[in-house]
Structure formats: C-alpha cells, structure tokens
Amino acid sequence: MSVKLNTDKLDLQIINAMMNDAEISYAELGKKLFVSAGTIHVRIKKLQEMNIISGTRMNVNVKLLGYDCTAFVGIYLEKSSLYDVVAKELKKIPEIVRLNYITGSYSMFLEVVCKDIAQLRRVLHDELQKIKGIERTETFISLEEGFSRTLVVVDPE
Amino acid sequence: MSVKLNTDKLDLQIINAMMNDAEISYAELGKKLFVSAGTIHVRIKKLQEMNIISGTRMNVNVKLLGYDCTAFVGIYLEKSSLYDVVAKELKKIPEIVRLNYITGSYSMFLEVVCKDIAQLRRVLHDELQKIKGIERTETFISLEEGFSRTLVVVDPE
DNA sequence: ATTGAAAGAGTCTCAGT
DNA sequence: ACTGAGACTCTTTCAAT
C-alpha cells in the first residue's frame, strides 16, 4: 500500500517541481502554486518525514568527464539461490551503477558506466566473469541516449 | 575528447560530493576539502559554465506514491531507419522515463515506470504496439532494485 | 493548515593577497 | 587562484488567524 492518501494535489505539484529543479526557492515555488513560502516549507518538511523525498543530487554530465560508454548487462546465474552472494560481489565494482532483479531470460540486469570500450571490456571480462555463480552475460552497449527524464507523478484516477 | 584536462582533483572532489548530496553548504564542503567557501563557489560556477554540472534534482521515492512497477523493454524495429519517428512517439508516453539506442538484439531499450501491472499492460499493449515501425517488444519486469548509485568520477590513470 | 515577519544560515561579490 | 568580510537572498521559526 502507498502513503498516497496522505498527499494532496499541492504535495504532488511540489514533488514534480522539485524533482526537476531542486534549486527553486520556496518563495518562487509558492508564487507558482499560489501559496506562501511558509506553506511550501511545511509541506516539504512533511514529505521528508514521510520519506517521500530525501535530499538532492547535482546533475553531472559524466560524458564531459570522459565517461562516454554506458552499457546494459543481462546476467544468467547458475542457480537462483546465488542472488545475494553475487549481488554483494557486483556492488564492489564501482562501474556498476545499478542492479535490478528481473523476470525473463536474465536473472539480473546491470547498468555499467565506463570511460571507454577498453574499460568496459576489463569490467566484463576481468571482473564479472570472475564472480562465482555467474554462468554467462549478455551486453548491450548504448550507442546514444534518446532521452532520460523524471517521472511525472499524478493522482489516482 | 573530454574537457577533463581542465578539471583538477578539487573539481572532481566537489563533483563527487555534490552528485550525492547537493544540499551541503559551501562552507561545510570547503572545510572537508581544506579550502574556503569562496573557492568552492568559484569552482562550482566554473563547472556550471563548462556544462559539467547543471542544476539539482530532489530524490523522490516514487514507490511510496504508488509507482511500484519498473520494467525494461527491448524493442525490435521493422527498419533501423525508423529510429527517429518511433523515438518521437515513445517520448509522448509519460511512463517511459528513458530511451537508449543499443547494440545487440534490440534496436532500442526503454525504462518504464508504472503504478501496477495493469498500467504496464496498458502501456505495452495499447500504447507501444500501436506505434508504426515497432515489430515486437520484449519486457523484463523489475522484481526488486538491488542497488542504484551515482558513478564515482576519478582522474585518468 | 496557512500566513507574514523576524531571526538565522547560506550564497554571492569583491578588494586584498 | 585563494581568502575573508560585507551585502544580499533564502530557509526556518513562530505568533496570529
């Protein structure tokens, strides 16, 4: 069950705004949403206490820092019971920025960010294949990112 | 080529810190990195001008708002030349938060965030299959997110 | 719950080094 | 290029509604 029942339209408007730009001031956001800065403040405090929102992150263009190579990796495990022990090993590899357990052909699915193909090869061959329990992997190199955006959260219909 | 040559160790330390927590004050970050708040400020301004960093986003736990269903979707296109027209249609579907062009079996790869399986079915069946040029799709539903983290950017070795 | 104003904290600018 | 201090803006608190 969700805590959605305790959030109203104003909360969702604040969330959608701050999800895309957390630098907007309470005064400016309040003006947009026709309430005072104080109201924005108490709502944000409430949403933080409900763990719906938590901190902010700076957007970084890692491409400009030389990280030009994103790949997705599907993992076949020898046994499903090896999930946790393999996940623990994968977490040690800094180039892996995300791990999901999924349905379908693969047991696990990774997102990997590297500087170049050479580094990706090192991660796949030297690091991944070394982990006990991984049967084989399938790699999809991202040629280009079409788009990436935040979800727009809406009320239940 | 990257603009990496114009960034030093201090820049990277600032980036790594603010990528994870953009709310830290310049004074506090300066203390950690043994420089003044003013220096943090000019470095951040420089990084913004270089387009390496750009704005901040609030972290939102969309699960608590009822968005409990993440899926990855591989797309087979009838012809590769249909990339752009199909991408344009996909961008109109708000549940699709990310699109990548990739190597391998699929032409495109999507990340979709929905409230439940019923909404995912609607997106896949009613929206996706309706788009001209999509031959077929393959869906991987995320059962659980193992982890998700920001990349740690480092100097060239 | 929301407001408006005062107190506190952070950002931004700039002259000096 | 970095620092420290002053000006400015934003967050936070709170009494009143």
Side-chain angles (χ1 to χ4, degrees):
Chain A
M1 240 278 280
S2 83
V3 291
K4 188 82 167 290
L5 301 172
N6 295 320
T7 60
D8 65 8
K9 195 179 167 187
L10 179 60
D11 291 324
L12 293 180
Q13 287 175 313
I14 293 170
I15 291 166
N16 281 317
M18 303 278 288
M19 203 169 7
N20 283 292
D21 171 19
E23 272 167 339
I24 190 170
S25 76
Y26 293 179
E28 199 186 339
L29 185 53
K31 214 164 159 185
K32 264 191 187 171
L33 304 178
F34 307 105
V35 293
S36 72
T39 297
I40 299 291
H41 179 247
V42 301
R43 293 304 189 103
I44 285 182
K45 231 171 61 180
K46 184 193 75 175
L47 291 167
Q48 284 169 337
E49 276 158 15
M50 293 169 85
N51 281 314
I52 290 175
I53 62 175
S54 60
T56 66
R57 292 181 193 283
M58 181 136 266
N59 300 322
V60 180
N61 186 343
V62 293
K63 232 178 178 173
L64 292 181
L65 294 169
Y67 291 83
D68 214 1
C69 183
T70 293
F72 302 98
V73 180
I75 292 191
Y76 293 92
L77 288 182
E78 283 165 11
K79 289 189 292 180
S80 299
S81 57
L82 293 167
Y83 267 172
D84 292 347
V85 54
V86 170
K88 207 177 149 190
E89 291 303 310
L90 291 170
K91 202 165 184 181
K92 291 181 191 164
I93 303 172
E95 288 90 350
I96 301 176
V97 296
R98 193 171 172 193
L99 180 156
N100 283 77
Y101 304 100
I102 58 171
T103 63
S105 351
Y106 315 112
S107 305
M108 291 170 156
F109 200 71
L110 309 180
E111 181 178 342
V112 184
V113 181
C114 294
K115 295 197 177 185
D116 47 41
I117 300 282
Q119 190 188 0
L120 178 61
R121 194 201 57 76
R122 270 201 305 279
V123 170
L124 293 174
H125 190 262
D126 299 350
E127 312 264 7
L128 273 189
Q129 303 292 1
K130 209 175 277 176
I131 297 175
K132 281 256 181 195
I134 294 182
E135 194 182 293
R136 64 190 189 87
T137 63
E138 211 158 283
T139 303
F140 306 93
I141 295 173
S142 174
L143 301 169
E144 198 193 329
E145 181 161 89
F147 61 79
S148 174
R149 61 188 175 197
T150 57
L151 181 69
V152 178
V153 294
V154 296
D155 261 325
E157 285 90 52
Chain B
M1 239 280 277
S2 83
V3 291
K4 187 81 167 296
L5 301 172
N6 295 320
T7 60
D8 64 8
K9 194 179 168 188
L10 179 60
D11 291 322
L12 293 180
Q13 286 174 313
I14 293 170
I15 291 166
N16 281 318
M18 304 278 287
M19 204 169 7
N20 283 293
D21 171 19
E23 274 167 338
I24 190 170
S25 75
Y26 293 179
E28 199 186 338
L29 185 52
K31 214 164 156 185
K32 263 190 187 172
L33 304 178
F34 306 105
V35 291
S36 73
T39 297
I40 300 292
H41 179 246
V42 300
R43 292 304 189 103
I44 284 182
K45 230 171 62 181
K46 183 194 76 175
L47 291 167
Q48 283 168 338
E49 276 158 15
M50 294 169 86
N51 281 314
I52 290 175
I53 61 175
S54 59
T56 66
R57 291 182 194 282
M58 181 136 266
N59 301 322
V60 180
N61 185 345
V62 294
K63 231 178 179 174
L64 292 181
L65 294 169
Y67 292 83
D68 213 1
C69 183
T70 293
F72 302 99
V73 181
I75 293 191
Y76 293 92
L77 289 182
E78 283 164 11
K79 288 188 294 182
S80 298
S81 57
L82 294 167
Y83 268 170
D84 292 347
V85 55
V86 170
K88 207 178 150 190
E89 291 305 309
L90 291 170
K91 201 166 183 180
K92 291 181 192 164
I93 304 172
E95 288 90 349
I96 300 175
V97 298
R98 192 170 174 195
L99 181 157
N100 282 78
Y101 305 101
I102 58 172
T103 63
S105 352
Y106 316 113
S107 304
M108 290 171 156
F109 200 72
L110 310 179
E111 181 179 341
V112 185
V113 181
C114 293
K115 292 194 179 188
D116 46 42
I117 299 281
Q119 190 188 0
L120 178 62
R121 194 200 57 75
R122 272 199 306 279
V123 171
L124 293 175
H125 190 261
D126 300 351
E127 313 263 7
L128 273 191
Q129 304 290 2
K130 209 175 277 173
I131 297 174
K132 282 256 183 197
I134 293 182
E135 193 182 291
R136 63 190 190 87
T137 61
E138 212 158 282
T139 303
F140 306 93
I141 295 174
S142 173
L143 301 170
E144 198 193 330
E145 182 162 89
F147 61 80
S148 174
R149 62 188 174 196
T150 56
L151 182 69
V152 178
V153 294
V154 295
D155 262 324
E157 284 91 52

